[in-house]
Each structure stands twice: as structure tokens, then as C-alpha cells.
């Protein structure tokens, strides 16, 4: 992979994407590791919440709900990592001067599906978060529908078609020369 040396935009996009991938991997790892820890330490968590008076109507299933939230967040962060890995590969192909390739169309479509997966996973995270917030005093959870993720997915699906068509047109043009 050789980036065009005088394209600071691609370099900046690459650096930001690599940082985002690192953060997503960190979040996915930490939340995945914390999930069984919360289940194993559930009695201690319940005791601490009760001792601090932080419980409004504490349930024995509260730690399990927290563990489920952590597991879903880990899945969301994994999707974000995969999304950014596809983005990095697209950035690299642009840097090589060859963006209209069939594999970039596939990557864009995959990015659209990953965006929808993140949106789908956010609904149960918010719903369970609302329930946990009702269990623990001074805990908050906001629940709302954000259509920006759905809009992003639609844009990515359209761009995938544009790239697929661009790749087809390029192949047709190469065949006529």
C-alpha cells in the first residue's frame, strides 16, 4: 500500500480511522471481559448497591441486565471496528488511485449492514438501560430513536451501487481499449 505522498486528507482519514479502530477494539475487549466478571461478582455488586443506598427497587437480576448491556456494547464496538476496517481499506484503495473496484462496492454494502446492526443493537441496550436506571438511584438512561444511523446505512447502500456501477463501467471501458 502506497498512499499518494501529497494527499494530507487521505493521511488524516487513515490516522483517524486507525485511532477509531483502536478505540473500538479496546471497548469491545474491555466490555467482553467485564461481562462474565459482573456475573461472577453479582452478589458483591448487589451488596455494594444496597450498602450505598443506591437502590430504588433493586432486583437480583440487575447484575445480569448490566452484563447483557456490556455484551451488547461489545458487539456494537466489534461492528464499529469492522466498519472502520472496511473504511481503511477503501481509503487505501483511493490512495492507490483505484477506488472504483468491485471489492469497494462490497465493503460499502457491508458498512451499511454493520451500521444497521449497530442501530438494531442499540435498541435493547437502551431498553435494558432504562430498566437498570429504574433499579439504581441517581442512574440515568436516555432512550430515543435516532434515524441518522438508518440514513447513513441508506447512503452507504446507494454508494455501494454507485461504486459497483463505476467498476462495471471501468471494466467496459478497459475492454474497448
Amino acid at each position: 500500500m502506497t498512499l499518494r505522498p501529497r494527499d494530507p486528507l487521505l493521511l488524516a482519514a487513515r490516522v483517524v480511522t486507525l485511532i477509531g479502530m483502536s478505540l473500538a477494539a479496546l471497548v469491545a475487549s474491555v466490555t467482553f471481559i467485564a461481562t462474565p466478571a459482573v456475573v461472577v461478582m453479582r452478589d458483591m455488586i448487589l451488596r455494594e448497591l444496597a450498602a450505598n443506598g443506591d437502590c430504588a427497587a433493586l432486583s437480583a437480576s440487575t447484575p445480569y441486565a448490566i452484563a447483557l448491556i456490556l455484551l451488547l456494547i461489545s458487539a456494537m464496538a466489534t461492528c464499529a471496528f469492522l466498519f472502520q476496517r472496511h473504511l481503511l481499506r477503501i481509503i487505501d484503495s483511493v490512495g492507490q488511485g483505484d477506488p472504483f473496484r468491485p471489492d469497494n462496492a462490497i465493503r460499502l454494502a457491508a458498512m451499511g449492514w454493520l451500521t444497521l446492526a449497530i442501530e438494531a443493537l442499540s435498541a435493547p441496550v437502551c431498553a435494558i438501560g432504562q430498566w437498570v436506571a429504574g433499579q439504581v438511584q441517581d442512574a440515568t438512561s436516555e432512550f430515543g430513536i435516532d434515524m441518522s444511523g438508518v440514513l447513513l446505512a441508506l447512503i452507504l447502500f446507494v454508494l455501494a451501487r454507485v461504486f459497483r456501477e463505476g467498476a462495471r463501467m471501468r471494466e467496459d471501458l478497459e475492454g474497448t481499449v
Side-chain angles (χ1 to χ4, degrees), residues 26-149:
L26 178 66
V27 169
S29 300
V30 169
T31 55
F32 187 75
I33 291 168
T35 300
V38 168
V39 172
V40 169
M41 298 173 16
R42 67 188 173 277
D43 293 332
M44 186 184 79
I45 291 170
L46 288 170
R47 274 194 310 273
E48 284 295 316
L49 288 172
N52 293 335
D54 290 336
C55 52
L58 201 57
S59 167
S61 56
T62 301
Y64 295 109
I66 293 169
L68 183 56
I69 289 172
L70 289 171
L71 190 60
L72 291 170
I73 289 172
S74 179
M76 292 169 71
T78 301
C79 289
F81 175 85
L82 295 172
F83 180 99
Q84 292 175 84
R85 187 178 68 180
H86 287 306
L87 180 59
L88 184 65
R89 290 177 179 165
I90 291 171
I91 291 167
D92 289 346
S93 73
V94 172
Q96 294 167 354
D98 191 19
F100 289 105
R101 300 175 1 192
D103 53 343
N104 279 347
I106 293 167
R107 288 179 184 126
L108 285 165
M111 290 165 69
W113 287 113
L114 288 165
T115 300
L116 289 177
I118 291 169
E119 287 300 313
L121 290 168
S122 70
V125 167
C126 291
I128 297 167
Q130 288 280 93
W131 183 82
V132 170
Q135 300 288 309
V136 180
Q137 269 181 331
D138 298 329
T140 60
S141 176
E142 294 182 21
F143 183 74
I145 296 174
D146 183 13
M147 293 304 292
S148 60

